Amino acid sequence: MTVNVPGRPTTPEPARPGGHRWPSEPPPDRRPGSTQRDQDPSPWEADRVRALSRSQVEDRLQELGDLYADTSGGKPWARERDRDAFLRGLACDVRRPGFALLIAETTVLTACAYGFAVDDHGAWWRGLSPHGQVPADLRRLAASGRLFAVSRIVVQPVVRTRHQGRDWNLARRLQRRLLADHDASAGVALVSRTDAETLKAMLAWGWRYVEGDAGDEPLPAAPWHVLILET
């Protein structure tokens, strides 16, 4: 799954002894009438989410590339090509001011998400809309320093397709943490108009089209769907 684009809280779920964190509701396997099929993924075995510094990202580039290749769902012959493209994009974004990357892990790396703070000028806006048709609301948020661009969310296929509306869904946890850590009022993401799978997943995770970009009414000449996630 990829996306092209109070006091800085940590992951908001309540904690239990031993440092583990519980979801806001009992897991499916503990609720009356639940079935075995409902038990995966179990929020009672939630992945630990933490931030990496820029130097830590550089140290783990190959591992992050492997994660992308393993979760992208592409054809085997294309995975190395896609992995290289992912690493090139990450290497570019890591140099941006306000960059942040989160990983999720159990005993192994299971997901990552990253992005950067957006100001009200710069090259990023030209990529948003080649002819300058930029939503005014996004400009105002950026000028206030409260807009964060989510470049990519890389998660396992089950996170994309099951329990997307639950607070403990890993993609929701990652995107919520990115915005909270940067005191952002909203996140913005660009999704290729040819990537229906990513668009469907992100809408299920609470993103919505910005005004003027609702499917059959795209921003003029833009190759992207522009999505916003308000906190």
Side-chain angles (χ1 to χ4, degrees):
M1 160 70 195
T2 62
V3 180
N4 293 310
V5 246
R8 301 192 182 279
T10 56
T11 309
E13 294 85 2
R16 66 160 174 155
H20 299 285
R21 294 189 172 274
W22 300 117
S24 56
E25 61 179 299
D29 57 307
R30 301 293 179 87
R31 293 198 297 268
S34 65
T35 65
Q36 181 66 32
R37 183 185 302 176
D38 294 327
Q39 295 179 22
D40 186 25
S42 170
W44 286 67
E45 298 175 0
D47 304 43
R48 183 169 66 102
V49 173
R50 66 185 180 94
L52 297 185
S53 67
R54 280 184 170 87
S55 62
Q56 288 173 324
V57 171
E58 293 171 357
D59 289 342
R60 300 185 69 170
L61 278 177
Q62 299 309 309
E63 189 179 357
L64 291 165
D66 292 343
L67 171 70
Y68 179 80
D70 291 343
T71 60
S72 64
K75 300 293 185 182
W77 56 266
R79 287 184 180 177
E80 190 61 29
R81 178 200 64 193
D82 294 343
R83 180 183 186 276
D84 290 344
F86 166 78
L87 289 176
R88 287 194 300 271
L90 176 56
C92 179
D93 276 356
V94 76
R95 295 192 294 268
R96 295 179 184 268
F99 172 84
L101 183 143
L102 299 176
I103 61 169
E105 55 190 351
T106 51
T107 57
V108 296
L109 185 66
T110 60
C112 73
Y114 66 87
F116 51 91
V118 178
D119 57 25
D120 61 344
H121 61 278
W124 185 84
W125 294 99
R126 293 195 295 274
L128 173 62
S129 180
H131 297 287
Q133 302 291 332
V134 176
D137 288 349
L138 291 186
R139 284 282 194 186
R140 285 192 290 270
L141 279 173
S144 71
R146 304 291 296 277
L147 184 65
F148 190 87
V150 177
S151 295
R152 291 191 183 268
I153 302 174
V154 181
V155 293
Q156 299 289 340
V158 68
V159 180
R160 300 196 297 266
T161 58
R162 302 190 63 198
H163 308 297
Q164 302 102 316
R166 300 293 181 88
D167 283 346
W168 46 260
N169 178 279
L170 185 54
R172 282 182 172 261
R173 290 178 61 202
L174 288 167
Q175 66 192 26
R176 184 169 62 237
R177 171 75 177 270
L178 277 175
L179 301 188
D181 281 0
H182 288 78
D183 197 26
S185 295
V188 63
L190 309 180
V191 181
S192 171
R193 293 188 179 278
T194 64
D195 193 349
E197 180 183 356
T198 294
L199 179 64
K200 181 180 179 181
M202 293 193 70
L203 293 174
W205 293 331
W207 295 76
R208 63 176 177 81
Y209 295 106
V210 300
E211 185 176 354
D213 188 32
D216 58 351
E217 297 180 4
L219 294 172
W224 316 100
H225 288 294
V226 185
L227 304 184
I228 190 168
L229 178 69
E230 296 171 322
T231 59

